[in-house]
Amino acid sequence: MRINHQGMSWMEYWIDFDTPQSDLTDELNGFADLTYRASTVDGKFLRPLDG
């Protein structure tokens, strides 16, 4: 769980990819071709898989 300076909290999940993932649209790094082995995601963006 993460808590910001205003006391608000949220769930953040760490994800390890089975194979490295490329992101050609990474705006924070000048649209560089970067490869990620892991990342974090805010829990509000996750949904259960069907079935």
Side-chain angles (χ1 to χ4, degrees):
M1 180 175 293
R2 307 255 329 196
I3 300 174
N4 69 11
H5 66 281
Q6 297 170 331
M8 297 173 61
S9 63
W10 69 96
M11 293 299 293
E12 186 173 80
Y13 296 87
W14 182 263
I15 298 171
D16 288 313
F17 300 122
D18 292 333
T19 57
Q21 302 294 306
S22 295
D23 183 0
L24 303 176
T25 61
D26 191 338
E27 296 175 12
L28 295 176
N29 295 295
F31 297 98
D33 179 5
L34 298 175
T35 302
Y36 296 93
R37 289 175 167 48
S39 186
T40 58
V41 64
D42 188 323
K44 70 182 177 184
F45 296 112
L46 297 176
R47 301 287 181 268
L49 295 174
D50 292 333

